[in-house]
Every structure is written in structure tokens, then in C-alpha cells.
Amino acid sequence: MSTPFAAPERVRLPLRTRLSSLMAIAAATPLTRLPPRLLRPILELASRRARPASAAQTSAAREAIVASSIRCAVNGCLKRSIATALLCRTRGVWPTWQLGARTMPFGAHAWVEAEGTMIGEPVPEGYYVPLITVAPPRPEAPRGRWRTTGGTGILRLHRDALTADTGDGAVLLNQRTGHYWQLNHTGADSLRRLLAGQSVQDAAHDYAAEYGIEPSEAHQDITAMTGQLLEAGFLTRA
């Protein structure tokens, strides 16, 4: 998972800052190999009792990480973001750590935010859709998470699956495997209907009426989609 950037100008760090940065990078390295379902609780544990990091504090930590590791500087977004958060934690603060994706073209990415702003990312706000958020300790409602009705449908999101709405559909993340799945608008709409309790037949009927296709074709499309999502571990049968 990486969004490559041109290598920034390297800066000379004070010895103490460089050592703490290298320690944060070393701690982040094994964490990058974990599936999201294990990585998330570790970062949540690390964030406990930390104060929210300011944009200036987060930017300084990120710059120190980038100056200490060429891989973090160029294309190691996961390691860079984790190391930045851990370095902030050594200073008693925690930024908002995000794991998400873009859809056009598709690409996974990890980054840090502070004071509601992406730090050090040369993209406009909203370019990436967050799927996992580890914020400073405070109540925060999850964004974009789909809910299923209490067992009224035959399909449910797997407990390891996360979802986020995008402008043209949805993105799903399997926290156990780390795999992503992208749905276009019609696929996302059909899946919402199924998770809300509709049968495949009813969802296909509505799909066919809305998009002007044969019900049999709609039924085939939805059946194929749900079969793939079940096989990939994003869905489970209620």
C-alpha cells in the first residue's frame, strides 16, 4: 500500500530527534505486516491517554520521520503514518491516523490528520475515503459505516468488513486479510438493498426497473456479485 511522492529535501535533525524518529520507525516496521483487524487495536492502545496533536506537532513529527527514512519519504505511506503517530505519542500527543482509499483510480493509502486537516499530503481534502480511523481519545462517530438490519436479511457484512461510501459507489475493506473491494454505484446500491433485508429476487426486480434491463439479467448480476463478496470474506449469511 503506497502512494509514491518525489523525495523531499533531506534536513539535518538534532541527534535526540533523529534517535526518537528511528525508534518510532523501528516500532512501526513490524506493525505494517499486520492485518488491519490487529493493527487497529494496537494503535488504539497506543493512543490511550494522549492529548490531541496539533497540526504543528503532527507536521513536525512527520517531517522528522521523512528526514530519517528514505522509504518513508518516498513510498512507504503505511510505515510513515504509523511512525508519525508513534513519534507523536512519545511526546504525549496523538494525531488522527487514517487508513483508506481513493477510487479514481483505485489505490489504498494511510495518512495522519490534525485539527481536521491532512498533514503533508499533496492532495485535496476528500481525495481519500477513510475506512479505519484511530483518533485521539474522545467520542467520535464512525464515518461511512453501513449497518445491517438485525438479522432480517439473508446477508450480513462480515464482522471483519468495513465499508465507506464514495462519490461513485463504495469501498470495502476486509480487516483480516487487508484486501479491498470496490463497487460501482449500482453494485453499492444493490448491496445496500440486500443488507437492508431485501431478497435477491426483490433487489433484482428494483434494479431492473430502475436501470431498464431484464430482471433475469439483474438477478444474474446481483447473484454473481454477492457470490464473489461471500467468497472474499466481505459478507456472511445470516
Side-chain angles (χ1 to χ4, degrees):
M1 171 173 44
S2 177
T3 297
F5 302 120
E9 182 181 354
R10 306 299 292 277
V11 299
R12 185 179 296 274
L13 299 172
L15 179 59
R16 183 175 180 179
T17 301
R18 181 167 177 79
L19 289 176
S20 60
S21 299
L22 291 174
M23 290 176 64
I25 293 167
T29 299
L31 298 182
T32 63
R33 305 187 187 105
L34 297 177
R37 71 167 183 170
L38 298 180
L39 175 60
R40 180 179 193 168
I42 290 174
L43 295 183
E44 288 175 342
L45 180 63
S47 72
R48 288 183 181 177
R49 298 184 177 87
R51 304 185 307 276
S54 68
Q57 289 170 320
T58 306
S59 180
R62 189 184 186 280
E63 289 173 2
I65 295 299
V66 165
S68 301
S69 167
I70 188 64
R71 174 169 174 76
C72 288
V74 178
N75 60 3
C77 68
L78 183 58
K79 182 185 289 189
R80 178 175 62 239
S81 62
I82 295 173
T84 298
L86 294 179
L87 183 56
C88 283
R89 187 62 185 88
T90 66
R91 301 166 180 175
V93 297
W94 186 267
T96 297
W97 181 85
Q98 302 272 27
L99 177 68
R102 68 170 186 258
T103 59
M104 296 289 285
F106 181 82
H109 191 52
W111 67 97
V112 289
E113 297 181 0
E115 299 177 3
T117 301
M118 299 175 74
I119 302 299
E121 301 292 334
V123 296
E125 295 293 327
Y127 184 76
Y128 293 105
V129 177
L131 285 156
I132 297 179
T133 298
V134 180
R138 59 189 176 189
E140 182 171 321
R143 290 183 284 179
R145 185 65 190 266
W146 294 359
R147 304 271 181 194
T148 56
T149 56
T152 59
I154 61 171
L155 293 174
R156 287 184 178 179
L157 284 174
H158 193 280
R159 65 176 181 272
D160 289 328
L162 296 176
T163 64
D165 294 319
T166 66
D168 55 355
V171 174
L172 290 78
L173 168 64
N174 187 316
Q175 297 186 88
R176 179 176 56 83
T177 64
H179 294 162
Y180 290 82
W181 197 282
Q182 185 176 6
L183 294 174
N184 60 20
H185 173 74
T186 55
D189 182 59
S190 297
L191 182 57
R192 289 190 195 95
R193 294 174 186 271
L194 296 174
L195 295 177
Q198 277 194 325
S199 66
V200 172
Q201 183 175 356
D202 289 341
H205 181 272
D206 292 345
Y207 178 94
E210 183 170 354
Y211 296 100
I213 63 175
E214 290 295 325
S216 59
E217 181 181 349
H219 190 281
Q220 182 178 356
D221 289 345
I222 293 175
T223 300
M225 178 191 71
T226 55
Q228 291 171 339
L229 292 174
L230 283 164
E231 184 177 358
F234 291 98
L235 297 179
T236 185
R237 295 194 181 279

